[in-house]
Amino acid sequence: METYPTPRDLAAADTADITARIQHLGLGAVRAAAIQRYARIWLVDPPRKGVRYAVKNYHCAAVADGDDDATHGAGGADGDDDGDGGMTTTTMMTSSSPSSAWEIGHMTQGPYALDSWRIFCRDVLRGVAADWKGGGREGEFQPEWMRVLPQDKELRACLRWMWMREGWLWDPVTGNKVVLPDDLRRAIQDGRVGYDDTGNLRILCEPDAIAPESI
């Protein structure tokens, strides 16, 4: 972020330098190409409030009641020319719609990116909260992260922890939750919790090397 703080900086960066910086994550060249592709799209057509693009095969697409921004195909905003002399088709996205559409659907169709967008960015873009945790709207509405059911183990672990901070034991597969048991609450306070390779919670006999903050 210090070297490439903006999408413009990333788009103009030396791809080899980006690859070297993220090589330890694996697939460095592939990741670097994707990062720069996203940066270039962002410069031309950044995500906008009220404009969403259809996404296929995104099974975690829960939408809150009242979340009915305009939805678009591959074109631009409502009524804009789609580049082929026609007009972009516009529908309304509701909680009962069989399809899904998101503000970054023109940038990616990948579930990890869509889940991350919804968890960390969407509420701020839409202007409904000051941050992804619902800052400034405490007690007034449900932040977007509470409606995401990610497949990625790291995102699952993050949301499990967020739900535990709210006092709930959350199932990342179904989205169901129950009141956090006392033994688990004590384990969290003692730093005796960890996650397995699929992001499932486990109680440890000894404090984890990186103990989470107390809830």
Side-chain angles (χ1 to χ4, degrees):
M1 291 297 293
E2 292 181 359
T3 305
Y4 307 115
T6 69
R8 189 173 301 279
D9 293 324
L10 274 174
D14 181 354
T15 303
D17 183 59
I18 298 177
T19 301
R21 291 172 182 269
I22 62 175
Q23 193 66 51
H24 64 285
L25 299 176
L27 300 175
V30 175
R31 291 175 186 267
I35 288 171
Q36 291 194 292
R37 182 174 69 253
Y38 292 150
R40 288 191 291 269
I41 296 174
W42 192 289
L43 290 175
V44 175
D45 189 11
R48 290 170 288 165
K49 177 182 178 181
V51 178
R52 291 190 280 160
Y53 300 83
V55 172
K56 297 180 180 179
N57 303 318
Y58 179 54
H59 71 285
C60 305
V63 180
D65 291 340
D67 189 4
D68 56 357
D69 295 337
T71 301
H72 304 280
D78 188 8
D80 288 348
D81 194 308
D82 63 9
D84 296 321
M87 302 301 288
T88 302
T89 299
T90 300
T91 60
M92 297 305 292
M93 183 68 179
T94 67
S95 58
S96 61
S97 175
S99 61
S100 67
W102 305 97
E103 294 84 356
I104 62 169
H106 63 307
M107 299 175 65
T108 180
Q109 302 277 302
Y112 177 82
L114 292 166
D115 286 340
S116 298
W117 168 262
R118 292 179 62 199
I119 293 170
F120 301 113
C121 304
R122 189 165 190 255
D123 282 344
V124 175
L125 175 76
R126 296 176 63 225
V128 298
D131 57 40
W132 69 277
K133 299 178 182 179
R137 296 289 302 280
E138 291 80 2
E140 296 182 22
F141 88 123
Q142 185 185 63
E144 183 76 17
W145 68 262
M146 290 185 172
R147 300 193 293 273
V148 181
L149 299 177
Q151 298 294 308
D152 178 76
K153 66 183 182 69
E154 300 297 341
L155 291 180
R156 283 185 171 184
C158 173
L159 293 192
R160 278 185 181 275
W161 178 244
M162 290 300 295
W163 276 113
M164 285 191 290
R165 288 176 59 88
E166 298 288 327
W168 298 98
L169 183 61
W170 171 74
D171 184 337
V173 176
T174 65
N176 295 333
K177 57 187 185 296
V178 297
V179 175
L180 194 65
D182 289 340
D183 61 336
L184 183 54
R185 183 183 295 273
R186 288 193 296 271
I188 294 169
Q189 292 173 338
D190 294 341
R192 294 185 293 105
V193 293
Y195 298 92
D196 62 22
D197 291 339
T198 62
N200 290 320
L201 184 71
R202 57 192 178 92
I203 298 179
L204 308 175
C205 295
E206 299 293 336
D208 201 359
I210 303 178
E213 61 183 293
S214 172
I215 63 171

